[in-house]
Coordinates of all heavy atoms in Angstrom, one line a residue:
G9 N -14.8 11.0 43.4 CA -15.3 11.8 42.3 C -14.1 12.4 41.5 O -13.0 11.8 41.5
F10 N -14.4 13.4 40.7 CA -13.4 14.1 39.9 C -13.6 15.6 40.0 O -14.6 16.1 40.3 CB -13.7 13.7 38.4 CG -13.3 12.3 38.1 CD1 -14.3 11.3 38.1 CD2 -12.0 11.9 37.8 CE1 -14.0 10.0 37.8 CE2 -11.7 10.6 37.5 CZ -12.7 9.6 37.5
M11 N -12.5 16.3 39.8 CA -12.4 17.7 39.7 C -12.2 18.0 38.2 O -11.2 17.6 37.6 CB -11.3 18.3 40.5 CG -11.4 19.8 40.5 SD -12.8 20.6 41.3 CE -12.4 20.3 43.1
V12 N -13.2 18.6 37.6 CA -13.1 19.0 36.1 C -12.6 20.5 36.1 O -13.2 21.3 36.8 CB -14.5 18.9 35.5 CG1 -14.4 19.3 34.0 CG2 -15.0 17.5 35.6
M13 N -11.6 20.8 35.4 CA -10.9 22.1 35.4 C -10.6 22.5 34.0 O -10.3 21.7 33.1 CB -9.7 22.1 36.2 CG -9.9 21.6 37.6 SD -8.3 21.4 38.5 CE -7.7 19.9 37.8
E14 N -10.6 23.9 33.8 CA -10.1 24.4 32.5 C -9.7 25.9 32.6 O -10.2 26.6 33.6 CB -11.1 24.2 31.4 CG -12.4 25.0 31.6 CD -13.4 24.7 30.5 OE1 -13.8 23.6 30.3 OE2 -13.8 25.7 29.8
T15 N -8.9 26.3 31.7 CA -8.5 27.8 31.7 C -9.3 28.5 30.5 O -9.8 27.8 29.6 CB -7.0 27.9 31.4 OG1 -6.7 27.5 30.1 CG2 -6.2 27.1 32.4
P16 N -9.3 29.8 30.5 CA -9.9 30.5 29.4 C -9.2 30.2 28.1 O -9.8 30.3 27.0 CB -9.7 32.0 29.8 CG -9.5 32.0 31.3 CD -8.9 30.7 31.6
E17 N -7.9 29.9 28.1 CA -7.2 29.6 26.9 C -7.4 28.2 26.3 O -6.9 27.9 25.3 CB -5.6 29.8 27.2 CG -5.2 31.2 27.5 CD -5.6 31.6 28.9 OE1 -5.6 30.7 29.8 OE2 -5.8 32.8 29.1
G18 N -8.1 27.3 27.0 CA -8.5 26.0 26.5 C -7.7 24.9 27.2 O -8.0 23.7 26.8
E19 N -6.8 25.1 28.1 CA -6.2 24.0 28.8 C -7.2 23.3 29.7 O -8.1 24.0 30.2 CB -5.0 24.5 29.6 CG -3.8 25.0 28.9 CD -2.8 25.5 29.9 OE1 -2.1 24.6 30.4 OE2 -2.7 26.7 30.1
W20 N -7.1 22.0 29.8 CA -8.1 21.4 30.7 C -7.4 20.2 31.4 O -6.4 19.7 31.0 CB -9.3 20.9 29.9 CG -9.0 19.8 28.9 CD1 -8.6 20.0 27.6 CD2 -8.9 18.4 29.1 NE1 -8.4 18.9 27.0 CE2 -8.5 17.8 27.9 CE3 -9.2 17.6 30.2 CZ2 -8.4 16.5 27.7 CZ3 -9.0 16.2 30.0 CH2 -8.7 15.7 28.8
A21 N -8.0 19.8 32.5 CA -7.6 18.6 33.3 C -8.7 18.1 34.1 O -9.7 18.8 34.4 CB -6.4 19.1 34.3
V22 N -8.7 16.8 34.3 CA -9.7 16.1 35.1 C -8.9 15.3 36.1 O -8.1 14.4 35.7 CB -10.6 15.2 34.3 CG1 -11.6 14.5 35.2 CG2 -11.4 16.1 33.3
E23 N -9.0 15.5 37.4 CA -8.3 14.9 38.5 C -9.2 14.1 39.4 O -10.3 14.6 39.7 CB -7.5 15.9 39.3 CG -6.4 16.6 38.5 CD -5.2 15.7 38.3 OE1 -5.0 14.7 39.0 OE2 -4.5 16.0 37.3
A24 N -8.8 12.9 39.8 CA -9.6 12.0 40.7 C -9.6 12.6 42.1 O -8.6 13.2 42.5 CB -9.0 10.6 40.7
L25 N -10.7 12.5 42.7 CA -10.9 12.8 44.2 C -11.2 11.6 44.9 O -12.1 10.8 44.5 CB -12.0 13.9 44.4 CG -11.7 15.3 43.8 CD1 -13.0 16.1 43.9 CD2 -10.6 15.9 44.6
F26 N -10.5 11.3 46.0 CA -10.8 10.2 46.9 C -10.3 10.6 48.3 O -9.5 11.5 48.4 CB -10.0 9.0 46.4 CG -8.6 9.2 46.0 CD1 -7.6 9.1 47.0 CD2 -8.2 9.5 44.7 CE1 -6.3 9.4 46.6 CE2 -6.9 9.8 44.4 CZ -5.9 9.7 45.3
P27 N -10.7 9.9 49.3 CA -10.3 10.3 50.7 C -8.8 10.4 50.9 O -8.1 9.5 50.5 CB -10.9 9.1 51.6 CG -12.1 8.6 50.8 CD -11.6 8.7 49.3
G28 N -8.4 11.5 51.4 CA -7.0 11.8 51.7 C -6.3 12.6 50.5 O -5.2 13.1 50.7
R29 N -7.0 12.7 49.4 CA -6.4 13.4 48.3 C -6.4 14.9 48.5 O -7.5 15.5 48.9 CB -7.2 13.1 47.0 CG -6.7 13.9 45.7 CD -5.5 13.3 45.1 NE -4.8 14.2 44.1 CZ -5.0 14.2 42.8 NH1 -5.9 13.3 42.3 NH2 -4.4 15.0 42.0
V30 N -5.3 15.6 48.3 CA -5.2 17.0 48.3 C -5.0 17.5 46.9 O -4.1 17.0 46.2 CB -4.0 17.5 49.2 CG1 -3.9 19.0 49.1 CG2 -4.2 17.0 50.6
L31 N -5.8 18.5 46.4 CA -5.7 19.0 45.1 C -5.6 20.5 45.1 O -6.4 21.1 45.7 CB -6.9 18.5 44.3 CG -7.0 19.0 42.8 CD1 -5.9 18.3 42.0 CD2 -8.4 18.6 42.2
Y32 N -4.6 21.0 44.5 CA -4.4 22.4 44.3 C -4.9 22.9 43.0 O -4.5 22.4 41.9 CB -2.9 22.8 44.5 CG -2.7 24.3 44.3 CD1 -3.2 25.2 45.2 CD2 -2.0 24.7 43.2 CE1 -2.9 26.6 45.1 CE2 -1.7 26.1 43.1 CZ -2.2 27.0 44.0 OH -2.0 28.3 43.8
V33 N -5.9 23.8 43.0 CA -6.4 24.3 41.7 C -5.7 25.7 41.5 O -5.8 26.6 42.3 CB -7.9 24.5 41.8 CG1 -8.4 25.1 40.5 CG2 -8.6 23.2 42.1
L34 N -5.0 25.8 40.4 CA -4.3 27.0 40.0 C -5.2 28.2 39.8 O -6.4 28.0 39.4 CB -3.4 26.8 38.8 CG -2.3 25.8 38.9 CD1 -1.7 25.4 37.6 CD2 -1.2 26.4 39.8
P35 N -4.8 29.4 40.1 CA -5.6 30.6 39.8 C -6.0 30.6 38.3 O -5.3 30.1 37.4 CB -4.7 31.8 40.1 CG -3.7 31.2 41.1 CD -3.5 29.8 40.7
R36 N -7.2 31.1 38.0 CA -7.8 31.2 36.7 C -8.3 29.9 36.1 O -8.8 29.9 35.0 CB -6.8 31.9 35.7 CG -6.4 33.3 36.1 CD -5.6 34.0 35.1 NE -6.3 34.2 33.8 CZ -6.0 33.5 32.7 NH1 -4.9 32.7 32.6 NH2 -6.7 33.7 31.6
W37 N -8.2 28.8 36.9 CA -8.8 27.6 36.4 C -10.2 27.4 36.9 O -10.4 27.3 38.1 CB -7.9 26.4 36.9 CG -6.7 26.2 36.1 CD1 -5.6 27.0 36.1 CD2 -6.4 25.2 35.2 NE1 -4.6 26.5 35.3 CE2 -5.1 25.4 34.7 CE3 -7.1 24.1 34.7 CZ2 -4.5 24.5 33.7 CZ3 -6.5 23.2 33.8 CH2 -5.2 23.5 33.3
A38 N -11.2 27.4 36.0 CA -12.5 27.2 36.4 C -12.6 25.7 36.8 O -11.9 24.9 36.3 CB -13.5 27.4 35.2
H39 N -13.4 25.4 37.8 CA -13.4 24.0 38.3 C -14.8 23.7 38.9 O -15.5 24.5 39.4 CB -12.3 23.8 39.3 CG -12.3 24.7 40.4 ND1 -11.9 26.0 40.3 CD2 -12.6 24.6 41.7 CE1 -12.0 26.6 41.5 NE2 -12.4 25.8 42.4
R40 N -15.1 22.4 38.8 CA -16.3 21.8 39.4 C -16.0 20.4 39.9 O -15.4 19.7 39.2 CB -17.5 21.8 38.5 CG -18.1 23.1 38.2 CD -18.9 23.6 39.4 NE -19.5 24.9 39.1 CZ -19.0 26.1 39.4 NH1 -17.8 26.2 39.9 NH2 -19.6 27.2 39.1
S41 N -16.5 20.1 41.1 CA -16.3 18.7 41.5 C -17.6 17.9 41.1 O -18.7 18.4 41.0 CB -16.2 18.7 43.1 OG -17.3 19.3 43.7
V42 N -17.3 16.6 40.8 CA -18.3 15.7 40.3 C -18.3 14.4 41.2 O -17.3 13.8 41.2 CB -18.1 15.3 38.8 CG1 -19.1 14.3 38.3 CG2 -18.0 16.5 37.9
N43 N -19.4 14.1 41.8 CA -19.6 12.9 42.6 C -19.9 11.8 41.6 O -20.8 11.9 40.8 CB -20.7 13.1 43.6 CG -20.9 11.9 44.5 OD1 -20.1 10.9 44.4 ND2 -21.9 12.0 45.4
V44 N -19.1 10.7 41.7 CA -19.4 9.5 40.8 C -20.0 8.3 41.6 O -20.1 7.3 41.0 CB -18.1 9.1 40.1 CG1 -17.6 10.2 39.2 CG2 -17.0 8.7 41.0
S45 N -20.4 8.5 42.8 CA -21.0 7.5 43.6 C -22.5 7.7 43.6 O -23.0 8.8 43.9 CB -20.5 7.4 45.0 OG -21.2 6.4 45.8
S46 N -23.3 6.6 43.5 CA -24.8 6.7 43.6 C -25.2 6.6 45.0 O -26.4 6.8 45.3 CB -25.4 5.7 42.7 OG -25.1 4.4 43.1
D47 N -24.3 6.1 45.9 CA -24.8 5.9 47.3 C -23.9 6.5 48.4 O -24.1 6.2 49.6 CB -24.8 4.4 47.6 CG -23.5 3.7 47.4 OD1 -22.5 4.3 47.0 OD2 -23.4 2.5 47.7
E48 N -23.0 7.4 48.0 CA -22.1 8.1 49.0 C -21.9 9.5 48.5 O -21.7 9.8 47.4 CB -20.8 7.4 49.1 CG -19.9 7.9 50.2 CD -18.6 7.1 50.4 OE1 -18.1 6.5 49.4 OE2 -18.1 7.1 51.5
D49 N -22.0 10.4 49.5 CA -21.7 11.9 49.2 C -20.2 12.1 48.9 O -19.4 11.4 49.5 CB -22.1 12.8 50.3 CG -23.6 12.8 50.5 OD1 -24.4 12.6 49.5 OD2 -24.1 13.1 51.6
L50 N -19.9 13.0 48.1 CA -18.5 13.5 47.9 C -18.4 14.7 48.9 O -19.1 15.7 48.7 CB -18.2 13.9 46.5 CG -16.9 14.5 46.2 CD1 -15.8 13.5 46.5 CD2 -16.8 15.0 44.7
V51 N -17.5 14.6 49.8 CA -17.3 15.6 50.8 C -15.8 16.2 50.7 O -14.9 15.4 50.8 CB -17.6 15.1 52.2 CG1 -17.4 16.2 53.3 CG2 -19.0 14.5 52.3
T52 N -15.7 17.5 50.5 CA -14.4 18.1 50.5 C -14.3 19.3 51.4 O -15.4 19.9 51.7 CB -14.0 18.6 49.1 OG1 -15.0 19.5 48.6 CG2 -14.0 17.4 48.1
F53 N -13.1 19.6 51.9 CA -12.9 20.8 52.6 C -12.0 21.6 51.7 O -11.0 21.1 51.1 CB -12.1 20.5 53.9 CG -11.6 21.7 54.7 CD1 -12.5 22.4 55.4 CD2 -10.3 22.1 54.6 CE1 -12.1 23.5 56.1 CE2 -9.9 23.2 55.2 CZ -10.8 23.9 56.0
F54 N -12.4 22.9 51.5 CA -11.6 23.7 50.6 C -11.4 25.1 51.1 O -12.2 25.6 51.9 CB -12.2 23.7 49.2 CG -13.6 24.2 49.1 CD1 -13.9 25.5 48.9 CD2 -14.6 23.3 49.3 CE1 -15.2 25.9 48.8 CE2 -15.9 23.7 49.2 CZ -16.2 25.0 49.0
I55 N -10.3 25.7 50.7 CA -9.9 27.1 51.0 C -9.4 27.8 49.8 O -8.9 27.1 48.9 CB -8.9 27.2 52.2 CG1 -7.6 26.4 51.8 CG2 -9.4 26.7 53.5 CD1 -6.5 26.6 52.8
Y56 N -9.7 29.1 49.7 CA -9.2 29.8 48.5 C -9.1 31.2 48.8 O -9.8 31.8 49.6 CB -10.1 29.5 47.3 CG -11.5 30.0 47.6 CD1 -12.0 31.3 47.2 CD2 -12.4 29.1 48.2 CE1 -13.3 31.7 47.5 CE2 -13.8 29.5 48.4 CZ -14.1 30.8 48.1 OH -15.4 31.2 48.3
P57 N -8.1 31.9 48.1 CA -8.0 33.4 48.2 C -9.2 34.0 47.4 O -9.6 33.5 46.4 CB -6.7 33.7 47.6 CG -6.4 32.6 46.7 CD -7.1 31.4 47.3
G58 N -9.6 35.2 47.8 CA -10.7 35.9 47.1 C -10.4 36.3 45.7 O -11.3 36.5 44.9
N59 N -9.1 36.4 45.3 CA -8.8 36.9 44.0 C -8.3 35.8 43.0 O -7.7 36.0 42.0 CB -7.7 38.0 44.1 CG -6.4 37.4 44.6 OD1 -6.3 36.3 45.1 ND2 -5.3 38.2 44.5
A60 N -8.7 34.6 43.3 CA -8.2 33.4 42.5 C -9.3 33.0 41.5 O -9.3 31.9 40.9 CB -7.9 32.2 43.4
G61 N -10.2 33.9 41.2 CA -11.4 33.6 40.3 C -11.1 33.4 38.9 O -10.0 33.5 38.4
H62 N -12.2 33.0 38.2 CA -12.2 32.7 36.8 C -13.5 33.3 36.2 O -14.5 33.4 36.9 CB -12.2 31.2 36.6 CG -12.4 30.8 35.2 ND1 -11.3 30.7 34.3 CD2 -13.4 30.4 34.5 CE1 -11.7 30.3 33.1 NE2 -13.0 30.1 33.2
D63 N -13.5 33.8 35.0 CA -14.7 34.2 34.4 C -15.5 33.0 34.0 O -15.2 32.3 33.0 CB -14.3 35.1 33.1 CG -15.6 35.5 32.4 OD1 -16.7 35.4 32.9 OD2 -15.4 36.0 31.3
Y64 N -16.6 32.8 34.7 CA -17.5 31.7 34.4 C -18.5 31.9 33.4 O -19.4 31.1 33.1 CB -18.1 31.2 35.7 CG -17.2 30.4 36.6 CD1 -16.3 31.0 37.5 CD2 -17.2 29.0 36.5 CE1 -15.5 30.2 38.3 CE2 -16.3 28.2 37.3 CZ -15.5 28.9 38.2 OH -14.6 28.1 38.9
G65 N -18.4 33.0 32.6 CA -19.4 33.3 31.6 C -19.5 32.3 30.5 O -20.5 31.9 30.1
T66 N -18.3 31.8 30.0 CA -18.3 30.8 29.0 C -18.8 29.5 29.5 O -19.5 28.8 28.8 CB -16.8 30.6 28.5 OG1 -16.4 31.8 28.0 CG2 -16.8 29.5 27.4
I67 N -18.5 29.2 30.8 CA -19.0 27.9 31.4 C -20.5 28.0 31.5 O -21.2 27.0 31.2 CB -18.4 27.8 32.8 CG1 -16.9 27.8 32.8 CG2 -18.9 26.5 33.5 CD1 -16.2 26.7 32.0
E68 N -21.1 29.1 31.8 CA -22.5 29.3 31.9 C -23.2 29.0 30.5 O -24.2 28.4 30.5 CB -22.9 30.7 32.4 CG -24.3 30.9 32.6 CD -24.6 32.3 33.1 OE1 -23.7 32.9 33.7 OE2 -25.8 32.7 33.0
K69 N -22.5 29.4 29.4 CA -23.1 29.3 28.1 C -22.9 27.9 27.5 O -23.8 27.4 26.9 CB -22.5 30.3 27.2 CG -22.9 31.7 27.5 CD -22.2 32.7 26.5 CE -22.4 34.1 27.0 NZ -21.6 35.1 26.2
K70 N -21.7 27.3 27.7 CA -21.4 26.1 27.0 C -21.1 24.9 27.9 O -21.0 23.8 27.5 CB -20.2 26.3 26.1 CG -20.4 27.3 25.0 CD -19.1 27.6 24.3 CE -19.0 26.8 23.0 NZ -17.9 27.2 22.2
G71 N -20.9 25.2 29.2 CA -20.5 24.1 30.1 C -19.0 24.0 30.0 O -18.3 24.7 29.3
F72 N -18.4 23.0 30.7 CA -17.0 22.7 30.7 C -16.7 21.9 29.4 O -17.5 21.2 28.8 CB -16.6 21.8 31.9 CG -16.4 22.7 33.1 CD1 -17.5 23.0 33.9 CD2 -15.2 23.1 33.5 CE1 -17.4 23.8 35.0 CE2 -15.0 23.9 34.7 CZ -16.1 24.2 35.4
R73 N -15.4 22.0 29.0 CA -15.0 21.2 27.8 C -15.1 19.7 27.9 O -15.3 19.0 26.9 CB -13.6 21.6 27.4 CG -13.4 23.0 26.9 CD -11.9 23.3 26.7 NE -11.7 24.5 26.0 CZ -11.8 25.7 26.5 NH1 -12.1 25.9 27.8 NH2 -11.6 26.8 25.8

Side-chain angles (χ1 to χ4, degrees):
F10 289 94
M11 185 68 73
V12 179
M13 303 174 284
E14 67 181 58
T15 68
E17 295 78 28
E19 293 179 77
W20 63 272
V22 179
E23 294 286 336
L25 292 171
F26 48 84
R29 173 81 193 266
V30 175
L31 181 63
Y32 177 68
V33 178
L34 292 167
R36 298 186 63 246
W37 281 72
H39 56 286
R40 286 290 181 266
S41 56
V42 178
N43 183 3
V44 297
S45 174
S46 62
D47 61 354
E48 184 176 30
D49 292 336
L50 175 63
V51 180
T52 60
F53 174 79
F54 56 93
I55 56 173
Y56 58 92
N59 64 350
H62 174 83
D63 175 11
Y64 280 87
T66 301
I67 304 296
E68 184 178 340
K69 292 176 186 171
K70 296 173 97 174
F72 281 82
R73 286 175 171 80

